[in-house]
Amino acid sequence: MVSEWQFEVPTAGSKRLPPDGRYMEALSSQGYGFDVAIADLVDNSIDAGAQNVVIHFLRDGDQLVSLVIVDDGKGMDEDELDVAMTVGGRRGYDKRSLGMFGTGLKSASLSHANSVTVVSRTKRTRPAGRRWLMERAKHGFECDIIEPKYAQDFIDFYQGRPIAFQGTIVRWDGVKDFPQNGSGGQTDRYLHRTVNKLGLHLGLHLHRFLARDDFHITISIQDVRTGIEYANYGVESLDPFAYPVSGDPAYPSDFTVDLPSLGQVRLDAHIWPPRSSLDEYKAFGAVVEREGFYFYRNDRLVQAGGWNNFRQPEQHLALARVAVDLPDDSDGTVFRLTVKKEGVQASPEFVASLEDAKDDQGRTFAQYLSEAERVYREARKRAGVTRRAAVPPGRGVDPQVRQVIEEELPVLTGEEPLQFRWQKLPNDKFFEIDQDGHLLLLNQHYRAALLGGRGGSLNDAPMVKSLMYLLMQDAFQRERMGSRLKDNIELWQSVLVAAARAELDRVAD
């Protein structure tokens, strides 16, 4: 029995414990979003010196079959390819590299596909290829060697698109996100939604690279059987600080944070003009979620908004955005980047130092936030409208709708969000109200007609749900409903049931 606490733990040797093959399953279950995973692969292309990257959706009629990412970077020989396909393989990252951990290619790809094939060629070597097949990988880390002829044919297929003398191709097969049944326009709807969202994500997180004349990303859709190219989109830079006129002439301004562990870090503080409709302000999520810090690592945006425990997001600070270029902090003493490169964990040292941050005019960081809030409030006053606070929108409300609601309406603090759910109800009811659960139940019987035959999803029927959200504010802000409100609810119930039945009749015809 140990008589006193020992800070040093004594050891009696060591032994090697290699990972079980199931580690690959854990590696591919890190919660990579589709857009985040693609961005991770494009980072590799940038590190390889690529000037052109093509994201190629391949379809066979109505069915999506593969996703291919092609670049004209310096490529890899067989030894370099083996390192790239090794889990945790180190390939000599320099200080300006976007890659960090040696897992991005594998974990990002296998999070979304059953297999990932990589074919590459340098100026001095023939094409070489490797493939991770998830079923083989998780039973012993066995990586397939691609036939040299196939590797050559694959390179030839993308000759000039964009590969010239060198480049790399990453191919995903068995993509889990693709529609299983492409009939009825499902593939077209999926591509429209996915391409738009992917373009916004890449345009935002890689905006500094896309603003250059020597770097381009293209998203292409092609039929493998006919060779027809359905679409070809160039991804545009989406600079979150690209406003035409500042919301306050005193900004932007640089604030300096003194960190004992790292030295000085600069905060580039901006105030957006109020009520902007520019995509750079409002195209990529709820504005209230996009206020705060924008951390960059080697010009790559790795966090788009958030206050990192400094304070809570607040509607009145929606105009405040702060750009921070991360210093070299390889040990993660103050700033630790997540593996997926979509967030930064800041230490208490950084948060505490914000209290003492000042710009060259002697203004504190707290004063900056007060100025951003003042600009927001004054714009509301000039509009001459004071809107009544609303119950926040919750689960079941489309994110785009939720964003606009949160921008346009003050939200009641401490209130549970209003959620929507489809449920079986009597056919003479279009909806039911669950005040205690903050739930608005919609009649499942009318769902298909309202969706026009489209498949349902969590955030479907945004028009109907938006109208219901606005109509039902009184019902969810009062403990007891008066006779007038009850009568209005009966009126809305009758009219909506009649409208829903009319939709059913149209579908039947």
Side-chain angles (χ1 to χ4, degrees), residues 259 267 288-296 301-314 317 320-324 326 334-338 342-355 365 369:
L259 299 171
L267 312 178
V288 72
E289 295 174 0
R290 296 306 189 186
E291 66 186 49
F293 296 115
Y294 284 66
F295 288 110
Y296 293 83
L301 182 60
V302 292
Q303 178 176 304
W307 292 110
N308 296 79
N309 295 321
F310 177 64
R311 61 176 303 146
Q312 292 297 314
E314 185 179 331
L317 288 176
R321 292 182 179 180
V322 184
V324 184
L326 293 173
V334 180
F335 302 106
R336 184 178 294 275
L337 182 63
T338 62
E342 61 171 354
V344 172
Q345 297 170 353
S347 73
E349 179 184 340
F350 172 71
V351 176
S353 297
L354 290 171
E355 300 289 350
F365 193 67
L369 296 177

Side-chain angles (χ1 to χ4, degrees), residues 150-208:
Y150 179 85
Q152 182 66 62
D153 290 345
F154 209 13
I155 290 288
D156 290 344
F157 182 80
Y158 284 102
Q159 189 68 32
R161 304 185 311 152
I163 292 175
F165 304 105
Q166 58 194 14
T168 298
I169 304 169
V170 179
R171 169 176 160 174
W172 290 359
D173 291 305
V175 181
K176 302 166 190 175
D177 198 49
F178 285 176
Q180 296 302 306
N181 181 3
S183 61
Q186 288 190 47
T187 292
D188 291 329
R189 288 194 294 273
Y190 168 83
L191 285 170
H192 176 76
R193 180 178 68 252
T194 301
V195 167
N196 181 61
K197 188 168 177 282
L198 177 60
L200 290 175
H201 184 89
L202 295 174
L204 172 65
H205 288 83
L206 299 172
H207 72 87
R208 289 186 178 178

Side-chain angles (χ1 to χ4, degrees), residues 230 472 481:
Y230 287 91
M472 295 298 160
M481 292 186 283

